[in-house]
Amino acid sequence: MEKTTTLFLLFSTLLLTTSLAKDLCHKDDKNTLLKIKKSLNNPYHLASWDPETDCCSWYSIECGDASVNHRVTSLYIEYGKFSGQIPPEVGDLPFLKYLAFHKLPNLTGHIQPTIAKLKNLTYLRLSWTSLTGPIPEFLSQLENLEIINLSFNNLTGSIPSSLSSLQKLEYIDLSRNKLTGPIPESFGSFSGRIPNLLLSHNQLSGSIPKSLGKLDFDQIDFSRNKLQGDASILFGTSKRAWSNIDISRNKFQFDLSKVMLTKTVGRLDLNHNGITGNIPVQWTKSDIYSLNVSYNRLCGRIPQGGDLQKFDSYSYFHNKCLFGAPLPTSK
């Protein structure tokens, strides 16, 4: 009798647990997600989004714990073949912290304005899509944003200066778009921490704002744009160790002889510009992980010592009158 009672209690507990698990998903969030699925024409990619099951168990969905009543906190849709625009219903998931539409080449239209309603959002990734239009100003209203990744799209227009008001921002990737205009002057006055700044493969023009020279960036990638002028303000012995700076394939012109490096340097890529002068002897005192100064107008002997000879000739060739190892000896 006792054994039967014990089995009955275990079975009842299992049923209760299963029932509770099935009801974890908040009904408002489930209804919103089903609308998103319908807006995307019910793709097979979202076949697990079955109204008879718990939405917290669906593919591409994560829910928070009991402290937020198991509300949907993450929506990550990637590698699907469906077409259309970002569903406006994404703005009706008030507890969403993480939103990503990634590797969706048939996703079109502008960045959805209802995203402005997601005040808890910390991570926004809309990448490798066919999104068009400008980077919206409303992003600066999302005060909890830590990461913005809008890379590999067809976005146009200028970069909103208001992004610098986001105090929690750690990372901005706007690379591989069709953005024009200058780098905003306001980017030299981020009100919070200083984010990694990736703006490569666009059509940005003008000079680097002098205000950026006061900041200590960990990673900058301004490569493959139409930027010009003096980029030496980005360097200095007081800058952060292990910084990664790529300003290659622009129109920068400055004297490299005056550029001093910090003790430890990550990746330094200056190729395909109009940089003059010689490589400073001070660079032999820095630990340099990766270097490329090719296709410039440098002259003089490559200083001997340090890390400068560990790179192959590719790092130095096609300069005006640069010579010395590892460049081959001219005959």
Side-chain angles (χ1 to χ4, degrees):
M1 181 68 177
E2 183 178 347
K3 184 177 181 181
T4 302
T5 302
T6 302
L7 288 173
F8 175 76
L9 289 173
L10 287 172
F11 183 68
S12 298
T13 302
L14 180 61
L15 286 177
L16 179 61
T17 302
T18 304
S19 176
L20 288 173
K22 186 176 181 179
D23 296 330
L24 283 180
C25 182
H26 194 281
K27 61 180 179 62
D28 291 344
D29 290 348
K30 175 179 278 191
N31 289 335
T32 296
L33 291 171
L34 291 173
K35 290 178 182 177
I36 290 173
K37 180 182 179 181
K38 182 178 180 180
S39 181
L40 294 171
N41 298 312
N42 298 309
Y44 177 77
H45 190 67
L46 302 180
S48 68
W49 292 24
D50 183 345
E52 299 301 319
T53 60
D54 175 23
C55 80
C56 293
S57 68
W58 292 353
Y59 175 74
S60 298
I61 301 297
E62 290 183 12
C63 295
D65 57 26
S67 65
V68 290
N69 297 319
H70 303 285
R71 300 298 296 263
V72 171
T73 57
S74 175
L75 172 61
Y76 194 121
I77 299 178
E78 61 177 351
Y79 299 106
K81 295 183 179 180
F82 48 82
S83 59
Q85 302 186 15
I86 298 175
E89 291 85 3
V90 296
D92 297 328
L93 296 169
F95 286 81
L96 206 62
K97 293 183 177 181
Y98 187 107
L99 175 62
F101 287 85
H102 174 60
K103 287 285 183 87
L104 304 171
N106 296 321
L107 189 69
T108 59
H110 290 194
I111 295 176
Q112 180 54 245
T114 60
I115 291 175
K117 296 160 61 177
L118 302 175
K119 301 304 181 183
N120 292 304
L121 204 63
T122 63
Y123 180 104
L124 176 63
R125 181 172 192 177
L126 309 174
S127 58
W128 293 79
T129 75
S130 295
L131 291 174
T132 57
I135 298 172
E137 289 280 353
F138 70 69
L139 293 182
S140 63
Q141 301 171 23
L142 303 177
E143 298 179 355
N144 289 304
L145 274 179
E146 298 174 4
I147 294 176
I148 298 175
N149 187 339
L150 304 179
S151 62
F152 288 86
N153 294 299
N154 292 312
L155 301 176
T156 55
S158 59
I159 300 172
S161 60
S162 57
L163 294 181
S164 63
S165 67
L166 293 170
Q167 297 187 15
K168 298 181 180 180
L169 205 57
E170 300 176 3
Y171 183 93
I172 305 176
D173 189 351
L174 309 179
S175 59
R176 304 272 182 170
N177 280 288
K178 299 176 181 178
L179 301 175
T180 55
I183 298 171
E185 182 72 33
S186 66
F187 275 23
S189 57
F190 282 96
S191 55
R193 61 186 301 162
I194 302 168
N196 292 329
L197 193 54
L198 311 181
L199 308 177
S200 70
H201 293 77
N202 279 289
Q203 299 171 27
L204 300 176
S205 59
S207 58
I208 294 177
K210 292 183 179 180
S211 57
L212 262 66
K214 303 175 183 178
L215 302 183
D216 192 4
F217 287 92
D218 181 57
Q219 183 177 6
I220 283 179
D221 189 349
F222 295 162
S223 63
R224 294 181 182 267
N225 279 288
K226 299 177 181 179
L227 299 167
Q228 58 189 13
D230 186 358
S232 65
I233 58 174
L234 299 175
F235 306 95
T237 55
S238 63
K239 296 292 184 178
R240 182 197 301 268
W242 199 252
S243 58
N244 292 271
I245 297 179
D246 187 346
I247 58 170
S248 62
R249 295 182 181 269
N250 278 285
K251 301 178 181 180
F252 291 121
Q253 295 182 347
F254 57 91
D255 185 355
L256 195 67
S257 308
K258 302 175 182 179
V259 172
M260 301 292 105
L261 299 181
T262 189
K263 176 61 180 175
T264 305
V265 179
R267 177 170 176 252
L268 180 57
D269 196 340
L270 312 178
N271 80 80
H272 284 83
N273 280 289
I275 302 170
T276 58
N278 54 54
I279 298 174
V281 174
Q282 184 265 350
W283 285 25
T284 62
K285 299 179 181 179
S286 294
D287 298 323
I288 305 173
Y289 179 76
S290 175
L291 176 68
N292 191 341
V293 295
S294 63
Y295 288 92
N296 279 290
R297 300 175 185 173
L298 300 176
C299 280
R301 179 182 294 276
I302 299 171
Q304 300 296 299
D307 289 333
L308 296 183
Q309 274 68 54
K310 80 176 184 182
F311 307 109
D312 60 25
S313 61
Y314 175 80
S315 296
Y316 299 101
F317 69 2
H318 284 282
N319 273 286
K320 185 177 180 181
C321 45
L322 196 65
F323 65 96
L327 288 173
T329 302
S330 57
K331 296 181 179 180

